[in-house]
Amino acid sequence: MKESAEPAGLYSVIEKSARLVGVAPSRDTVWPILTAYGDMLAQAVVAFRVATDERSSGDFDCRFTMLSPGLDPYAVALSNGLTPKTDHPVGSLLGEVHREFPIEHSGIDFGVVGGFKKTWSFFPTDALQPLSKLVELPSLPLSVAGNLDFFTRYGLADRVSLVGIDYPHRSLNLYFGAAPAEVFEAGGIKSILRDAVLPEPSERLLRLGAQAFGIYATLSWESPKIERITIAAMTPDPTMLPVRIEPAIEDFVKNAPYSTDDRQFVYAITSAPGGEYHKLQSYYAWQSQVENTLLVPGNA
């Protein structure tokens, strides 16, 4: 039975989900977030995220995608005291993105312990945006312009579908929709990681590429380099992917709650300077347009 989308019902689901991975949520952290976005949650896409990297240990992340084009999720966070105001460019970037580009949906990430973390801005699927225009934004990290040739070389520069802004870590995620098929082939993945000066891909990453739909890059204001590259696949059953998934993630897959008829997951492997790590996003409340928004093959 579907739990209520009201804060109390959703908090109960979040608490149960977090405890599946041994994390006890802080009500003082989660409740203000639920109430701040409360009016928008009834129709929101709700997802939970677990990861194997050290930075994610001890927390459990939740993602809300609100189907409201006019929403500024960072302004909501600031006005409700969920995140501190900052003079760093990370604090002004989302406003610039929303003023200069068409936005179809917006979202947030938060940890049940760490609190508000990220915003997400989705461009319309029929209006993917070029990096050549994004780099004109005053607050965008210079590392994006510095790597424009890299993204152009792999046919990604005109396909930005989603911008994620990480406020605590002051970094930026650029998602590329409908990426060329060769990007996900073994040779393409090896070439991309080599050119980004990231470690040689594992066999697991190469096998995931065979079923992947998504690729995104993480950059920051502090370094000229591409910090991470992530390859992602959508599946109703991650255990059927051609990769061995981590035990902690597999346990969560088996027990994660969901409120729709069909289960959906996004399984991803990230290449970082310190090595690869795995991520799983489990959808609790699903909207069919999510597949279109993500440009999953066959649904774009």
Side-chain angles (χ1 to χ4, degrees):
M1 179 180 293
K2 183 174 180 178
E3 297 272 1
S4 170
E6 294 298 317
L10 194 50
Y11 182 84
S12 176
V13 173
I14 291 170
E15 183 176 43
K16 292 175 185 176
S17 302
R19 292 189 182 280
L20 290 174
V21 293
V23 175
S26 166
R27 187 179 179 88
D28 290 343
T29 296
V30 176
W31 194 257
I33 296 172
L34 298 184
T35 54
Y37 296 94
D39 292 342
M40 294 164 267
L41 297 182
Q43 298 301 318
V45 175
V46 178
F48 303 128
R49 177 182 171 276
V50 292
T52 62
D53 60 311
E54 184 175 346
R55 193 171 74 177
S56 299
S57 64
D59 208 346
F60 179 78
D61 283 353
C62 306
R63 178 169 299 176
F64 297 158
T65 303
M66 276 75 75
L67 309 180
S68 174
L71 173 67
D72 182 334
Y74 183 59
V76 173
L78 283 174
S79 65
N80 285 274
L82 304 179
T83 189
K85 188 174 177 60
T86 177
D87 293 329
H88 188 277
V90 73
S92 52
L93 179 58
L94 184 134
E96 294 172 4
V97 170
H98 283 224
R99 283 192 297 271
E100 299 297 328
F101 294 91
I103 303 299
E104 190 166 55
H105 308 309
S106 295
I108 63 165
D109 275 10
F110 64 93
V112 300
V113 176
F116 181 86
K117 294 181 179 181
K118 297 181 181 180
T119 59
W120 302 97
S121 300
F122 294 79
F123 300 136
T125 55
D126 59 354
L128 302 184
Q129 297 298 315
L131 282 177
S132 58
K133 187 176 178 183
L134 273 164
V135 297
E136 297 176 359
L137 298 178
S139 299
L140 199 77
L142 294 177
S143 54
V144 178
N147 286 285
L148 186 56
D149 288 346
F150 169 88
F151 294 115
T152 301
R153 185 158 59 250
Y154 291 102
L156 301 173
D158 293 328
R159 300 173 182 267
V160 182
S161 60
L162 171 60
V163 174
I165 304 171
D166 185 324
Y167 295 89
H169 296 107
R170 294 182 174 178
S171 63
L172 175 76
N173 288 335
L174 294 174
Y175 285 67
F176 302 95
E182 53 267 27
V183 164
F184 302 108
E185 296 171 357
I189 294 173
K190 289 180 180 179
S191 180
I192 286 172
L193 297 188
R194 181 173 58 249
D195 286 358
V197 197
L198 289 167
E200 183 80 8
S202 67
E203 284 301 315
R204 284 201 285 182
L205 178 50
L206 297 179
R207 288 196 297 271
L208 184 68
Q211 294 190 17
F213 76 92
I215 179 170
Y216 66 91
T218 303
L219 303 99
S220 76
W221 284 264
E222 308 303 323
S223 170
K225 298 179 179 180
I226 294 173
E227 297 190 348
R228 297 186 292 278
I229 294 284
T230 299
I231 302 291
M234 179 166 278
T235 174
D237 183 1
T239 64
M240 298 302 292
L241 290 171
V243 298
R244 177 179 60 82
I245 65 176
E246 297 298 313
I249 291 180
E250 186 172 5
D251 289 343
F252 184 74
V253 167
K254 293 176 181 177
N255 298 292
Y258 61 101
S259 64
T260 52
D261 292 336
D262 299 319
R263 304 191 76 184
Q264 289 290 351
F265 301 87
V266 172
Y267 195 85
I269 299 179
T270 294
S271 177
E276 293 176 5
Y277 59 91
H278 293 223
K279 297 186 283 190
L280 175 85
Q281 184 164 298
S282 168
Y283 287 92
Y284 169 72
W286 173 259
Q287 301 284 353
S288 60
Q289 59 263 54
V290 171
E291 285 182 304
N292 291 336
T293 299
L294 295 175
L295 295 173
V296 178
N299 296 282

